[in-house]
Amino acid sequence: MIVQKFGGTSVADTECIQRAAWIVAEKYSEGNDLVVVVSAQGETTDELIDKAGKLNPNPSKREMDVLLSTGEQASCALMSMALEKIGMPSVSLTGWQVGIQTDSAYGSARIKAISAERIKAELDRRRIVVVAGFQGINGFNDITTLGRGGSDTTAVALAAALNADLCQIFTDVEGVFTADPRKIPDARKLEEITYDEMLELASLGAQVLQNRSVEMAKRYGVNLEVLSSFERKPGTKVKEVIKMEQSKISGVAADAKIARIALVGLRDEPGIAFKIFRVLANAKINVDIILQSIGREDTKDISFTVARGDMESAAQVLSEHQNTIGYTDISVTDKIAKVSIVGAGMMSASGVAALMFEALYDEKINIGMISTSEIKISVLVDERDADRAVSAIHAKFFG
Ligand code: ADP
Ligand code: ASP
Ligand code: MG
């Protein structure tokens, strides 16, 4: 049993769909059961978002999901037709037909359960099942979508639910690289990467896999592979343990979709951080890096980052609570980016942070905030410095 997922570029036009169909046909003809997950063609999702924005700058999330799910629905029908044409028995199914049940968080729904009976019945008839990625259905029988890049999660979730032997993510690059290969020409393809490292890379801006898909792959031990649909070459295997890598880090990632909020002139007393982050938590806003300054003259400052999409609502709830929190000024900017290095190797190696900071110093790039965990180091830099920072850090570790 194999699940194969084809991303937007891999199904962008007729020729691409035909190429993908032959990849599917090959594995099917070897005697495997095949479930194929497809994304919307090319830039379809972005185009639909633009179209909606022209009619209503603030459309309801429910209607947005009805709209966006159409991209994947078109793709699955087209893929099934392409398979039919080359003599492969197949059937296309949408998220609700497959029984992908999610919560009600329109736009970023989480999969709760998959009742894969229909898929199993079709597979028993030796049909290739082509599933529309990125979508599910909630408790009200409404269509939901799984967040940008969500077709990866559909594929991994189906692989887990069906106990597939392999889940192949076909995309427009040859695998997972030490940095975005479109921005860093020297980036190297990784033969293997651990779930944990991949999860960090994906969460820190490497869009090659949606982070939720990696989370799920790790939880269910899905045998995951990222590879190109354009070139028949071995890709990158994502797994629990890998043979030791030479390098201290496995990759560099950048995320420009963030914003920083600073609260200035807070009282230097217990409970202030609690009040701030309780207000944000109640508004369901996720906070990432937090920095608190040393208190001086009984006041202190706290700054933190949030996803760019949450910037305005975060600023608004904080303003509403200015009196209870007690700050003098709030400053908000989205002209920043987070640049990170990831690697399980840094747990045992020393000097990794120093090397990263040296690369930034060489380029005269100023660091706004720093945050670390066992296997990653992130810094905040000016948005305009982000590409240069990635390039310098990559050259320092891999050059
Ligand atoms: P798909 O449409 O197939 O889902 P995506 O655009 O979502 O493809 O993801 C693939 C893209 O991810 C690549 O084109 C590449 O530019 C980008 N990317 C960013 N970081 C990395 C990385 N470390 N390794 C590989 N690709 C990366
Ligand atoms: N089409 C959706 C997106 O562009 C889902 C996906 O491609 O995985 O985000
Ligand atoms: Mg993607």
Side-chain angles (χ1 to χ4, degrees):
M1 162 93 67
I2 301 177
V3 177
Q4 294 185 324
K5 178 254 172 180
F6 294 90
T9 325
S10 303
V11 293
D13 56 27
T14 307
E15 202 185 315
C16 289
I17 295 180
Q18 285 165 336
R19 188 183 299 115
W22 279 111
I23 294 175
V24 176
E26 188 183 302
K27 277 278 182 278
Y28 175 83
S29 305
E30 288 168 8
N32 301 294
D33 282 343
L34 255 294
V35 173
V36 178
V37 174
V38 285
S39 289
Q41 290 188 277
E43 310 289 309
T44 302
T45 308
D46 289 326
E47 286 160 16
L48 290 170
I49 292 171
D50 285 349
K51 215 179 249 188
K54 284 187 185 128
L55 283 164
N56 181 347
N58 223 339
S60 93
K61 290 188 163 184
R62 180 194 179 279
E63 301 312 328
M64 225 27 216
D65 280 2
V66 176
L67 178 68
L68 296 192
S69 66
T70 62
E72 272 70 12
Q73 179 164 344
S75 286
C76 73
L78 292 170
M79 174 62 85
S80 186
M81 291 172 196
L83 287 165
E84 224 169 65
K85 179 71 175 55
I86 56 174
M88 298 290 127
S90 81
V91 59
S92 66
L93 297 172
T94 62
W96 71 264
Q97 287 177 298
V98 169
I100 298 183
Q101 283 138 31
T102 72
D103 63 18
S104 278
Y106 297 106
S108 58
R110 279 184 182 267
I111 298 177
K112 293 204 299 193
I114 297 182
S115 50
E117 283 140 44
R118 176 74 191 270
I119 295 191
K120 286 183 188 145
E122 299 292 355
L123 291 174
D124 284 345
R125 301 168 65 188
R126 276 301 282 155
R127 281 173 155 180
I128 296 168
V129 182
V130 188
V131 179
F134 179 54
Q135 54 180 265
I137 190 166
N138 67 14
F140 309 111
N141 278 354
D142 278 343
I143 295 171
T144 53
T145 65
L146 310 179
R148 297 308 302 267
S151 298
D152 297 331
T153 302
T154 305
V156 173
L158 286 171
L162 296 164
N163 216 347
D165 301 288
L166 177 62
C167 180
Q168 295 184 306
I169 306 290
F170 287 92
T171 184
D172 55 2
V173 289
E174 282 169 32
V176 180
F177 283 70
T178 50
D180 186 340
R182 299 197 184 283
K183 293 197 168 147
I184 306 292
D186 291 339
R188 298 185 208 155
K189 183 169 76 187
L190 299 165
E191 229 173 274
E192 302 178 317
I193 186 168
T194 64
Y195 291 127
D196 288 332
E197 289 172 305
M198 190 62 238
L199 183 56
E200 289 286 6
L201 275 182
S203 305
L204 293 167
Q207 75 178 63
V208 61
L209 286 175
Q210 195 196 36
N211 57 358
R212 283 182 183 177
S213 73
V214 186
E215 214 169 69
M216 195 171 294
K218 177 178 163 72
R219 185 166 346 125
Y220 295 99
V222 173
N223 187 5
L224 190 62
E225 189 179 0
V226 180
L227 63 178
S228 167
S229 68
F230 297 88
E231 281 175 77
R232 311 303 298 273
K233 287 188 183 165
T236 302
K237 299 219 155 61
V238 188
K239 39 208 263 212
E240 189 63 48
V241 210
I242 64 169
K243 54 181 194 288
M244 279 308 270
E245 283 284 330
Q246 291 294 310
S247 187
K248 290 175 188 165
I249 68 165
S250 55
V252 188
D255 184 358
K257 294 192 192 104
I258 60 166
R260 183 187 53 208
I261 297 179
L263 296 177
V264 181
L266 294 155
R267 287 187 304 278
D268 194 12
E269 62 183 35
I272 298 294
F274 160 67
K275 283 181 191 163
I276 297 170
F277 296 109
R278 170 50 58 206
V279 161
L280 293 167
N282 288 346
K284 294 211 162 31
I285 292 167
N286 260 331
V287 173
D288 184 23
I289 306 178
I290 300 173
L291 186 76
Q292 174 173 308
S293 70
I294 295 179
R296 56 183 146 63
E297 291 167 7
D298 294 337
T299 70
K300 63 185 174 189
D301 309 331
I302 291 184
S303 39
F304 54 88
T305 62
V306 296
R308 193 165 286 182
D310 286 336
M311 180 176 81
E312 268 151 37
S313 39
Q316 197 188 326
V317 290
L318 290 169
S319 306
E320 284 162 13
H321 290 80
Q322 179 165 11
N323 289 338
T324 38
I325 296 168
Y327 58 85
T328 52
D329 273 309
I330 178 168
S331 99
V332 179
T333 175
D334 60 1
K335 302 275 178 280
I336 51 154
K338 181 168 65 175
V339 175
S340 311
I341 57 174
V342 171
M346 71 175 74
M347 280 193 277
S348 52
S350 57
V352 176
L355 211 54
M356 180 186 194
F357 302 153
E358 185 184 20
L360 295 169
Y361 169 67
D362 291 347
E363 286 290 314
K364 302 283 172 288
I365 294 171
N366 194 40
I367 300 173
M369 290 181 178
I370 300 173
S371 122
T372 65
S373 79
E374 260 188 335
I375 66 165
K376 71 133 207 253
I377 303 172
S378 299
V379 297
L380 226 56
V381 299
D382 190 297
E383 186 182 50
R384 289 166 301 183
D385 293 334
D387 286 349
R388 229 160 24 94
V390 172
S391 167
I393 294 166
H394 189 272
K396 199 57 123 190
F397 284 93
F398 299 100

